[in-house]
Amino acid sequence: MKTFLTALIIFVLVTAGALYFFAPPINMPIAVLRGGIDADAELLARRIRLPDGFRFTVFASGLDGARMMQVTSRGDLLVTTPGTGNVHLLYRDSDRDGAADGRLSLLSNLNRPHGIDLHGDWLYVAEIDAVGRIRFNATTRETTGQYERIITGLPVEGRHWTRTVRVGPDGRLYIGIGSACNACRETDPRRGSIQRASLDGRTMEPFATGLRNPVGFDWSPHDGALYATDNGRDLLGDDTPPDELNRIEPGGFYGWPAIHGFGEPDPEYVPTEDDRIDKALEPVYGFRPHNAPLGIRFLRSGYPEAYYHDALVALHGSWNRSEKDGYKVVRLRWSEDGTIRAHDFMTGFLVNGDVIGRPVDIAESATGEIFISDDFANAVYRVVWSGVSARQDET
């Protein structure tokens, strides 16, 4: 009997672990919002591949579930770890060894902090249920005053707990809020949308809707447009629907939950006139299904001319395919006719089904450093183009 119970317990634990990796629970508790391994620099050096002229280092490790990032005016890097409730500051690489010169916990005890951005002397943070801000001095690496939640009451039930916040060129906050479900009619209209708010949080309005899970977005320096990644629905098989890159128009509607990808009706959802199917805007690019595009960043400095205005996108990787796919960073190139093509940029996280990393976000410094966060290996990578020595501001 004792042997049977022991075997049963082992079976349950193994099965639960497998289910978590391949099908994360809808209401993911904070205790499991962390990575699976710690970065192995030697293994990464053997596996990771970059285009000719680029090289990478492990900039920082031991960051449980590293997610979204921003570079400060001093060249330091801010990183959120939602599972620990912290926003970390990683010191810039002044000694040129490829790694952060130090780190500190800038904010703590937050409610799953995810998206962050800097504007003037304010640091903005998107928690699961709020957007907060605090004054931040990039030169001294210090915050002053109290952290204030300027937007509260964001929806927390159901799926897609991440919140993204960016300050747009118009000086307003843009907040990404994913859906509460796989495919359903939402009861809270803020779900599945990008909201726009004033910098003090006193006003907020829908900016774009019909976006199932818009985790990453950035403004193109080429045309000034806002582009957002969007994760398509699950449980329709390996090859449908595509994940999306959308050009976000003010007031635009992008089809979810009735329409996916390029006009593909949802087979399990009965639309009504309220779903505005005839108004749905199509993506400008379709990623492979279930690749989970998250962070996107348009490149602005420090690289060969061929890379100017291209965007890097972190493909977090599939959890719901019979064969894993994604788990890499791709480079999107805009042709003169407006078509977009993807090229591999950073690969090797997935080899023969073996996963050693899951890219989340992309950040870029003014000196030409690219930072890539990895919430599976609990790390941040630094990528530089070896054709140009990175400049360092010594202030």
Side-chain angles (χ1 to χ4, degrees):
M1 185 66 177
K2 184 177 181 181
T3 302
F4 171 77
L5 288 175
T6 301
L8 179 61
I9 291 170
I10 293 173
F11 172 77
V12 170
L13 290 173
V14 171
T15 302
L19 286 173
Y20 168 69
F21 184 80
F22 291 106
I26 290 177
N27 291 304
M28 190 180 295
I30 199 167
V32 296
L33 295 176
R34 299 184 180 185
I37 62 173
D38 282 330
D40 182 331
E42 292 184 2
L43 178 59
L44 287 162
R46 292 196 301 269
R47 293 253 302 244
I48 296 302
R49 295 291 180 268
L50 290 160
D52 290 344
F54 288 90
R55 56 186 175 84
F56 88 99
T57 55
V58 177
F59 186 69
S61 59
L63 296 164
D64 285 351
R67 293 289 290 191
M68 308 304 276
M69 304 179 292
Q70 289 294 336
V71 179
T72 75
S73 59
R74 186 175 179 176
D76 298 326
L77 184 69
L78 299 173
V79 186
T80 61
T81 54
T84 69
N86 291 337
V87 176
H88 304 271
L89 186 145
L90 307 178
Y91 296 174
R92 66 184 185 185
D93 176 26
S94 295
D95 60 9
R96 314 289 182 92
D97 66 351
D101 288 355
R103 70 179 69 180
L104 60 85
S105 179
L106 196 66
L107 296 173
S108 59
N109 299 315
L110 301 182
N111 190 5
R112 302 193 202 185
H114 188 253
I116 50 175
D117 207 355
L118 295 163
H119 183 73
D121 59 353
W122 290 101
L123 167 61
Y124 289 87
V125 183
E127 303 177 69
I128 185 174
D129 60 345
V131 175
R133 69 178 183 177
I134 190 169
R135 291 194 181 276
F136 171 66
N137 187 317
T139 302
T140 64
R141 296 168 170 158
E142 295 176 337
T143 60
T144 56
Q146 296 295 315
Y147 177 80
E148 176 190 10
R149 289 181 170 89
I150 58 174
I151 298 173
T152 59
L154 297 181
V156 299
E157 296 79 12
R159 282 190 165 192
H160 302 139
W161 58 270
T162 65
R163 306 288 175 260
T164 304
V165 64
R166 296 290 308 276
V167 179
D170 59 355
R172 303 186 72 182
L173 298 176
Y174 290 75
I175 305 159
I177 304 174
S179 66
C181 57
N182 186 32
C184 68
R185 184 174 286 108
E186 297 283 6
T187 58
D188 190 322
R190 295 172 296 179
R191 285 287 197 172
S193 75
I194 294 176
Q195 300 283 313
R196 184 169 65 176
S198 58
L199 287 174
D200 59 11
R202 293 180 180 177
T203 63
M204 189 170 77
E205 62 186 0
F207 186 74
T209 58
L211 297 161
R212 181 176 175 272
N213 193 20
V215 176
F217 44 90
D218 193 19
W219 286 263
S220 167
H222 179 66
D223 61 11
L226 174 62
Y227 290 86
T229 61
D230 194 13
N231 288 215
R233 68 155 292 177
D234 304 316
L235 307 178
L236 293 180
D238 283 359
D239 301 316
T240 189
D243 290 331
E244 302 175 7
L245 178 70
N246 290 292
R247 189 179 192 274
I248 304 299
E249 304 289 347
F253 171 68
Y254 293 85
W256 186 87
I259 297 292
H260 308 289
F262 299 89
E264 179 181 343
D266 190 292
E268 300 175 352
Y269 183 86
V270 180
T272 68
E273 290 184 2
D274 293 337
D275 289 310
R276 301 183 296 155
I277 294 177
D278 59 327
K279 303 294 185 182
L281 300 175
E282 289 193 349
V284 293
Y285 180 79
F287 298 95
R288 288 172 58 84
H290 313 304
N291 274 202
L294 298 182
I296 178 173
R297 188 73 58 163
F298 284 90
L299 300 179
R300 291 169 167 84
S301 63
Y303 317 105
E305 185 176 354
Y307 282 77
Y308 287 176
H309 307 313
D310 291 356
L312 296 182
V313 178
L315 302 184
H316 198 227
S318 59
W319 61 265
N320 57 350
R321 296 186 83 255
S322 57
E323 294 185 9
K324 299 184 184 73
D325 197 12
Y327 303 91
K328 60 183 176 181
V329 177
V330 295
R331 168 193 176 199
L332 299 183
R333 302 207 66 195
W334 272 252
S335 301
E336 290 185 3
D337 61 3
T339 59
I340 301 171
R341 292 179 174 84
H343 305 268
D344 284 348
F345 182 78
M346 190 175 191
T347 62
F349 297 108
L350 171 65
V351 174
N352 297 325
D354 178 47
V355 174
I356 62 171
R358 302 189 74 180
V360 176
D361 194 23
I362 315 290
E364 181 194 23
S365 76
T367 59
E369 300 163 293
I370 298 169
F371 298 99
I372 298 165
S373 60
D374 182 338
D375 68 351
F376 186 77
N378 302 318
V380 171
Y381 312 113
R382 175 179 178 267
V383 177
V384 296
W385 182 47
S386 58
V388 171
S389 60
R391 301 179 302 275
Q392 295 287 343
D393 179 3
E394 297 304 329
T395 62

